[in-house]
Amino acid sequence: MIVAIPPHDAQKPGTSSRFRFFAPILAGATLKERLIGCVGALIGICLTSLVCALVMGQDPNLPLIVAPIGASAVLLFAVPASPLAQPWSIVGGNTISAFVGVSVATLVTNPSLAIGLAVALAILVMSLTRSLHPPGGAAALTAVVGGAAVARAGFWFPLVPIAINSLILVAVGMVFHRLAGRQYPHRQAIVPVNTHKTADPPAAFRVGFNSEDIDVAIASLNETLDVSRADIDALLRQVELQALLRQRGELSAADIMSRDVVTVAENATADEARSLLLDHDIRTLPVLDAAGHLRGTLGLRELAAMAPGTPLPVSQAAIAKPSDPAIGLLPRLTDGSIHAVVVLDDEHHVVGIISQTDLLATLAKSLSQAGPTSLMAGHGQGI
């Protein structure tokens, strides 16, 4: 991914121009993240070499670890969210490319032509198998110019040590990232669907940019980006939300929530719950346990699917704290499946509820007022 260096007048205040060339160009590339990546690479490479030594023995003609694995470790531990650093990319890309390199070395006798063909064909095959991984090019090259030991190994070289190195490195990476609190393998953002099973896009996606806009913007850059299209979509929508929070973030959940909350006990009957929903003309009932703590929520939809004689069908509740920005609840209340957010105190007791009506009234008032501090809250538990 190529990122243009910002012009001199756009650099951060107080940053010397002579140091701006050393600033990280990857988003989120903080010193802390880089140090975590360094520790991960240290552990990953050492353990990979150690396990290979235990598995394969100390054969002097067989390398315990190959150079491309070092490049794989950079991707795996420094940019674990990259599509090029995912498990299939590492294992598949390295192994497949090594097979390509061995095949080319077997069929092509001219060294200059062989090394070029090996890398070029590795890129092609990795692209076709959705396993593009930059160190794969090095694996293909190593298979051609690796010397007598690699030549003797022949078609075993892609399996031992390339595939074994890659598998061990990925396994170590998965454990390390889990312990470091990171998500790996990276889960791409899920493309939203209409929960009402109609052809319309979800309500929150009917205004603003759409998927076609993203495609046109990517095409206009005329380059390949090291980030998935779904992640770009999720990032842009998060940017929109953060901009809205900055402009209209003064109001908290406590400012707009309904405080006289209608609740139901978890041991209540279906008739009691249905009566509360209909009498108060609401769509969501918080369900409380014997200690008054929130167990979940209940609506007419859950009651309709309830089997006779069974406990109340409690759904997982969408929750917030009183201090949370009210506008930050927009994504959850516009996803088509959640009608209200339950507000809890530190003891997990229900102190309020914010319905779609509450947030809609707040947004409507926001449009009619000059400043966010004069906003007025709506009311209603889920009409």
Side-chain angles (χ1 to χ4, degrees):
M1 178 176 178
I2 301 175
V3 180
I5 296 177
H8 176 73
D9 57 359
Q11 69 186 56
K12 294 181 179 180
T15 302
S16 173
S17 60
R18 73 177 189 177
F19 292 114
R20 65 192 176 111
F21 296 103
F22 300 98
I25 60 175
L26 292 176
T30 63
L31 177 60
K32 175 184 176 182
E33 288 299 308
R34 284 293 170 264
L35 291 176
I36 291 176
C38 292
V39 174
L42 171 65
I43 297 174
I45 293 297
C46 289
L47 284 181
T48 300
S49 177
L50 176 62
V51 174
C52 285
L54 295 175
V55 172
M56 299 185 297
Q58 300 292 337
D59 186 350
N61 297 317
L62 187 64
L64 294 178
I65 193 167
V66 289
I69 298 301
S72 296
V74 173
L75 289 170
L76 174 59
F77 294 104
V79 283
S82 169
L84 307 179
Q86 301 314 298
W88 170 239
S89 294
I90 295 176
V91 178
N94 283 334
T95 306
I96 291 171
S97 297
F99 270 115
V100 170
V102 172
S103 300
V104 170
T106 303
L107 299 174
V108 180
T109 57
N110 185 299
S112 297
L113 179 60
I115 57 178
L117 277 176
V119 175
L121 291 177
I123 294 174
L124 175 62
V125 176
M126 285 190 291
S127 299
L128 293 175
T129 56
R130 300 176 64 87
S131 62
L132 191 63
H133 185 60
L141 194 61
T142 302
V144 177
V145 299
V150 175
R152 283 195 301 270
F155 284 98
W156 279 106
F157 176 71
L159 299 176
V160 182
I162 294 286
I164 292 179
N165 284 175
S166 301
L167 286 167
I168 296 173
L169 186 70
V170 167
V172 173
M174 294 176 71
V175 174
F176 176 82
H177 286 306
R178 176 70 62 86
L179 295 176
R182 287 173 163 182
Q183 183 187 86
Y184 184 84
H186 175 67
R187 298 190 188 97
Q188 289 190 12
I190 300 175
V191 178
V193 295
N194 193 321
T195 57
H196 302 297
K197 299 180 181 179
T198 61
D200 295 313
F205 293 80
R206 296 173 195 170
V207 295
F209 68 88
N210 55 34
S211 58
E212 289 76 16
D213 296 328
I214 297 177
D215 291 336
V216 172
I218 293 175
S220 68
L221 295 177
N222 195 30
E223 59 180 305
T224 300
L225 304 179
D226 186 11
V227 61
S228 71
R229 186 185 168 284
D231 284 345
I232 292 176
D233 186 292
L235 175 63
L236 291 178
R237 297 195 185 279
Q238 188 64 28
V239 169
E240 284 188 329
L241 177 60
Q242 292 303 317
L244 187 58
L245 285 171
R246 174 173 50 81
Q247 298 166 359
R248 293 285 187 265
E250 286 82 357
L251 279 180
S252 67
D255 293 326
I256 72 169
M257 69 185 184
S258 299
R259 298 172 183 272
D260 185 14
V261 184
V262 180
T263 63
V264 66
E266 63 178 343
N267 58 357
T269 65
D271 289 338
E272 291 172 336
R274 187 178 296 106
S275 177
L276 286 172
L277 287 167
L278 296 176
D279 288 348
H280 292 275
D281 194 18
I282 54 179
R283 301 181 67 177
T284 303
L285 271 177
V287 180
L288 308 182
D289 62 16
H293 298 140
L294 181 69
R295 283 266 291 108
T297 56
L298 175 69
L300 290 175
R301 179 173 52 190
E302 288 85 0
L303 288 175
M306 178 181 177
T310 59
L312 290 179
V314 179
S315 299
Q316 184 176 2
I319 61 174
K321 296 179 180 179
S323 59
D324 288 347
I327 300 299
L329 304 179
L330 262 175
R332 283 181 283 178
L333 287 175
T334 57
D335 66 359
S337 61
I338 296 173
H339 302 296
V341 173
V342 183
V343 184
L344 304 178
D345 61 16
D346 293 336
E347 285 73 37
H348 215 65
H349 292 124
V350 176
V351 294
I353 192 168
I354 298 174
S355 69
Q356 293 169 322
T357 304
D358 296 324
L359 194 56
L360 179 61
T362 299
L363 292 175
K365 198 66 177 180
S366 163
L367 295 175
S368 65
Q369 299 289 339
T373 55
S374 60
L375 302 184
M376 295 177 58
H379 57 82
Q381 188 172 333
I383 300 174

